[in-house]
Amino acid sequence: MPVCKEDLSPGSELDIIFVTGDAYVDHPSFGTALLARILENQGYRVGIIAQPDWRSTRDFTRLGRPRLAFFVTAGNMDSMVANYTVAGKPRKDDAYSPGGLGGRRPDRATLVYCTRIREAFKQTDIVIGGIEASLRRFAHYDYWSNSLRRSMLIDSKADLLVYGMAERSVVEIARQLSAGRRAGELQHIPGTLWRCRAEDAQSIQVIADTWPSLIQDDAAGLPEARLLPRKIQNLPGWEDLKDPRLGKNHYSQSFLAQHRNTDALNADILTEAYGPWLVVQNPPALPLSASEFDALYTLPFTRTFHPDYLEAGGVPAIEEVRFSLVSSRGCFGGCSFCALTFHQGRRIQARSGDSLVREAELLTRLPGFKGYIHDVGGPTANFRRPACEKQRRVGVCKDRQCLHPRLCNQLVVDHQDYLGVLRRLRSLEGIKKVFIRSGIRFDYLLGDSNGEFLTELCAHHVSGKLKVAPEHISPRALAAMGKPRPEVFQQFAHAFKNTNQRLGKNQFMVPYFISSHPGTTLADALELALYFRDQGGTPEQVQDFYPTPGTLATCMYYTGIDPRTGREIYVSRSYQEKAMQRALLQFRDPKNHGKVRQALETLGRTDLIGQGKQCLVPGAFKSPPGKPGADQKRHQNPKSRHRSSENRRNTPGGRGRSNHRTSK
């Protein structure tokens, strides 16, 4: 088992030390544990410093100086999302901390950890990664300060940045470091960012020309793939991005180039200039073959949290995954508000059915298992294969989406492999029920001419309620979100209802919705409210749009431009309007009536205020004069309203986890 904190015996030396913002949970769903087990399996001696006290160097020196490097991550979640709500309020809990209590990780944890390591060990190599670093690998808009920030490779003063799913990358980095090279010298490893002086840029061209030979060993499991030299694209530099007149146009162009280059088989090499320095992104690491993916789940995980956390009640995040199975990674859904394509890529990687069955059999022997597998899925549960045959050979299309604005005519919709896995799992001894909770992409499901999957889904794999994510009902809003047209969701809702009636089951859908997404106006929010009025019910799940790095929607939010078209797009920025949009989506809640009336007056729809069946809220209301200047100021720096709380939060009694979710 990887060494944690004081488990190390005196005089021992570790090869690699991970520093993470999460409590240590030895489970394959936790990135630090997975990478540590992989390196341990390769013969490296690995230590883990989990949730160190960042106010001094003491915790960072507990395991001594590593022989090779420190690997630093903020954890499974972005530390700013973990610490703050979209309104800038400190969170009270953190599912990745002992007892679910917040305050165990600092803001911008990756940067803080690197600073402390440099104070303690000035000459030791530092490699950063994880979701926080991955989504901040280039210059990015930072919602919490309402400003642009530089590449995290620059700001952290780390030697190398690993982005995406890091299994291949960390093993190669460790191998090169063991051979005597320094992390800052590694320029050829897929899935990494490195830096060089502008006058040394000729080395980038050498890498581009020789790329096929650099990755041919990793491509052994992809015999159909075409390995070609790569081009070099120079993104707008830091000075261009900060230009007060054209900076947002440059940022939009830069993000589009990054968005187009996320596939291992066809991504170009990207560079970004910071004065005399260049940050260079190599193409992503090649996807894992099924056998390589399977092998990760044979490693000797204990599948529980470190015993140090027993007194605090354990680590809540394990409960979400303890009795679940990860069957795939990657997503070709293309939702604008989701960072998955930026981190995991659009190409689907799937484990074999045999691997999933073996893990399910293991789950039946774990303490506390009661016969229920809580989930079998990935970012999108019913994606189990690449979207088309072309992706296997040359990678995903750079300028076309698989599902939006409609299903691509090259898309292969096939649930047979997934159905086969589910049937095998539910037939195992000791398993009473196998649920699917990670989300179903309903437009893909409807593209399957064989209705077999929907029937078996309703018959065997819904725990009373099925979570789906239509997100909105306005065509304008859905186009900005990259989601299917409203009639597609209505068609699925009708099919789901009819299937359950035919099976004699009383099951329901729980739809997710987003308010204030770029491209969504107050009138669009009203359109959705009227849909709820006419259909009945109130949405249980409404989430305010949260601008986080790495998403197309955040680029829209910052620039007011849709990078896909180059056209201006409406963005709701004031706190007042965002509150009205959310209130409209839950207009039946009495505490929202004031804001709903205010929204209806703003839209000139006072006919919807009153006692009639067509009305959204009762009575009459005269909203007070707004103060857009104050609202805008609060919005521009969401933390400014909580400075005293922010200062108090930087103690062990601080804040925690987000509801931030991914696309389905």
Side-chain angles (χ1 to χ4, degrees):
M1 178 175 179
V3 177
C4 291
K5 289 190 175 179
E6 297 178 0
D7 296 342
L8 189 65
S9 59
S12 300
E13 183 185 36
L14 295 170
D15 296 315
I16 291 166
I17 297 175
F18 282 86
V19 178
T20 174
D22 291 340
Y24 183 64
V25 181
D26 192 32
H27 188 280
S29 292
F30 291 73
T32 297
L34 178 63
L35 297 179
R37 286 293 187 191
I38 291 169
L39 290 169
E40 180 189 50
N41 187 58
Q42 294 288 319
Y44 297 98
R45 190 161 167 77
V46 182
I48 297 170
I49 301 175
Q51 294 192 325
D53 181 348
W54 66 92
R55 291 161 296 190
S56 75
T57 61
R58 180 182 174 185
D59 279 356
F60 297 88
T61 61
R62 284 182 180 271
L63 301 180
R65 182 192 299 270
R67 183 174 69 90
L68 300 178
F70 280 98
F71 284 10
V72 177
T73 172
N76 270 21
M77 287 189 66
D78 183 291
S79 63
M80 297 303 289
V81 176
N83 288 350
Y84 297 99
T85 70
V86 66
K89 296 180 180 179
R91 298 188 190 273
K92 296 181 180 180
D93 57 3
D94 185 344
Y96 291 91
S97 292
L101 296 178
R104 299 292 296 269
R105 75 184 86 220
D107 295 349
R108 313 187 199 287
T110 303
L111 300 181
V112 175
Y113 293 159
C114 288
T115 299
R116 291 291 173 264
I117 292 169
R118 285 284 183 233
E119 290 175 6
F121 305 102
K122 297 190 184 303
Q123 301 303 316
T124 301
D125 288 350
I126 299 176
V127 179
I128 59 174
I131 192 73
E132 184 165 278
S134 182
L135 302 185
R136 290 170 168 78
R137 55 191 187 257
F138 285 117
H140 54 278
Y141 171 68
D142 182 80
Y143 171 69
W144 302 274
S145 62
N146 192 37
S147 65
L148 282 185
R149 293 181 69 95
R150 301 184 301 179
S151 163
M152 189 164 274
L153 180 62
I154 296 290
D155 281 350
S156 68
K157 297 181 174 59
D159 299 288
L160 196 66
L161 185 153
V162 178
Y163 71 94
M165 308 306 285
E167 295 92 354
R168 291 191 188 280
S169 303
V170 297
V171 170
E172 181 61 17
I173 291 168
R175 191 178 72 83
Q176 293 289 334
L177 296 178
S178 292
R181 302 189 67 185
R182 300 299 299 270
E185 301 170 355
L186 304 181
Q187 301 181 346
H188 65 285
I189 299 177
T192 63
L193 272 78
W194 48 281
R195 61 173 174 260
C196 67
R197 305 285 295 188
E199 58 264 29
D200 297 328
Q202 65 271 15
S203 62
I204 307 174
Q205 188 61 57
V206 172
I207 292 171
D209 293 340
T210 59
W211 194 254
S213 61
L214 291 174
I215 62 174
Q216 61 184 354
D217 290 342
D218 288 342
L222 304 168
E224 71 278 23
R226 291 171 56 191
L227 305 181
L228 301 172
R230 304 302 166 90
K231 299 176 182 177
I232 300 170
Q233 287 194 47
N234 299 314
L235 303 177
W238 179 243
E239 294 303 320
D240 292 327
L241 297 174
K242 292 195 303 178
D243 184 289
R245 189 171 63 91
L246 295 175
K248 291 186 177 180
N249 294 84
H250 290 312
Y251 186 87
S252 180
Q253 295 163 11
S254 176
F255 187 85
L256 181 62
Q258 296 170 48
H259 190 65
R260 296 177 71 250
N261 287 279
T262 58
D263 187 87
L265 293 185
N266 61 31
D268 292 330
I269 295 174
L270 306 181
T271 73
E272 188 175 70
Y274 293 88
W277 289 95
L278 289 177
V279 168
V280 185
Q281 176 182 290
N282 289 339
L286 287 169
L288 299 178
S289 66
S291 60
E292 290 171 323
F293 203 175
D294 291 350
L296 302 183
Y297 291 83
T298 65
L299 298 173
F301 298 98
T302 63
R303 293 180 173 265
T304 190
F305 47 79
H306 195 280
D308 281 356
Y309 308 136
L310 278 170
E311 187 175 347
V315 181
I318 186 64
E319 300 307 322
E320 290 292 319
V321 297
R322 188 192 299 273
F323 302 122
S324 297
L325 301 174
V326 173
S327 66
S328 62
R329 64 170 56 158
C331 182
F332 52 78
C335 300
S336 302
F337 49 81
C338 179
L340 269 171
T341 55
F342 209 59
H343 185 63
Q344 291 191 3
R346 288 169 56 192
R347 181 177 173 132
I348 303 298
Q349 301 163 62
R351 292 169 62 189
S352 71
D354 289 343
S355 173
L356 291 165
V357 167
R358 285 193 296 269
E359 188 179 6
E361 291 172 336
L362 184 154
L363 297 185
T364 66
R365 299 190 293 271
L366 292 181
F369 184 73
K370 297 180 180 179
Y372 300 96
I373 293 180
H374 297 162
D375 190 23
V376 182
T380 297
N382 54 329
F383 290 173
R384 281 273 300 164
R385 50 159 292 142
C388 67
E389 293 306 314
K390 177 184 175 184
Q391 288 186 5
R392 298 182 188 275
R393 294 181 287 104
V394 296
V396 302
C397 298
K398 290 190 173 187
D399 296 308
R400 295 181 64 184
Q401 290 292 323
C402 303
L403 303 180
H404 183 78
R406 59 189 60 83
L407 302 189
C408 175
N409 57 14
Q410 297 298 312
L411 180 69
V412 178
V413 182
D414 186 357
H415 291 93
Q416 291 305 304
D417 179 59
Y418 192 34
L419 274 173
V421 169
L422 294 171
R423 289 165 181 164
R424 291 179 67 185
L425 292 174
R426 65 180 189 249
S427 69
L428 292 176
E429 183 178 355
I431 292 180
K432 300 175 183 177
K433 199 79 172 177
V434 178
F435 296 121
I436 298 174
R437 291 177 175 167
S438 56
I440 294 291
R441 186 73 189 219
F442 56 82
D443 50 346
Y444 181 81
L445 186 154
L446 291 173
D448 193 342
S449 57
N450 184 338
E452 197 174 13
F453 178 70
L454 181 57
T455 297
E456 293 203 21
L457 173 70
C458 295
H460 301 289
H461 304 293
V462 177
S463 57
K465 295 181 178 180
L466 177 69
K467 295 178 182 179
V468 291
E471 308 297 4
H472 218 282
I473 208 69
S474 161
R476 175 169 50 195
L478 292 170
M481 294 176 178
K483 298 292 288 186
R485 303 178 308 281
E487 56 268 25
V488 179
F489 173 62
Q490 292 163 6
Q491 180 185 351
F492 175 74
H494 182 72
F496 181 78
K497 180 180 179 181
N498 287 348
T499 301
N500 278 288
Q501 287 178 345
R502 178 166 51 84
L503 295 171
K505 288 185 172 287
N506 188 27
Q507 299 183 138
F508 306 94
M509 289 191 304
V510 178
Y512 287 94
F513 296 93
I514 294 179
S515 64
S516 307
H517 188 280
T520 308
T521 65
L522 196 58
D524 294 322
L526 175 58
E527 183 177 349
L528 184 51
L530 295 176
Y531 172 82
F532 296 143
R533 179 200 66 183
D534 297 339
Q535 296 294 319
T538 300
E540 296 180 26
Q541 303 288 342
V542 175
Q543 177 178 313
D544 288 338
F545 169 67
Y546 201 153
T548 55
T551 72
L552 187 67
T554 298
C555 179
M556 296 180 194
Y557 180 88
Y558 169 59
T559 64
I561 300 169
D562 186 336
R564 300 167 297 185
T565 64
R567 298 172 185 162
E568 291 186 4
I569 190 167
Y570 178 80
V571 177
S572 173
R573 299 190 185 279
S574 76
Y575 175 79
Q576 184 181 34
E577 182 183 341
K578 290 159 76 74
M580 286 192 292
Q581 284 207 29
R582 183 181 179 91
L584 278 169
L585 270 57
Q586 295 180 312
F587 64 88
R588 289 189 172 90
D589 189 335
K591 73 175 184 291
N592 291 332
H593 284 179
K595 288 186 175 64
V596 174
R597 294 186 190 104
Q598 188 177 2
L600 295 175
E601 288 184 356
T602 301
L603 292 167
R605 292 301 306 271
T606 54
D607 58 301
L608 297 174
I609 303 174
Q611 303 302 322
K613 290 184 178 180
Q614 81 283 3
C615 294
L616 298 182
V617 289
F621 180 80
K622 179 66 177 175
S623 60
K627 296 181 180 180
D631 289 328
Q632 182 69 11
K633 184 176 180 180
R634 284 198 299 270
H635 162 71
Q636 287 177 344
N637 189 353
K639 289 167 58 179
S640 66
R641 290 172 284 148
H642 308 281
R643 290 212 183 271
S644 60
S645 298
E646 163 70 0
N647 292 335
R648 290 194 301 271
R649 194 199 59 75
N650 287 324
T651 68
R655 304 294 179 248
R657 162 177 213 220
S658 141
N659 298 330
H660 189 57
R661 60 190 170 80
T662 56
S663 160
K664 305 292 182 292

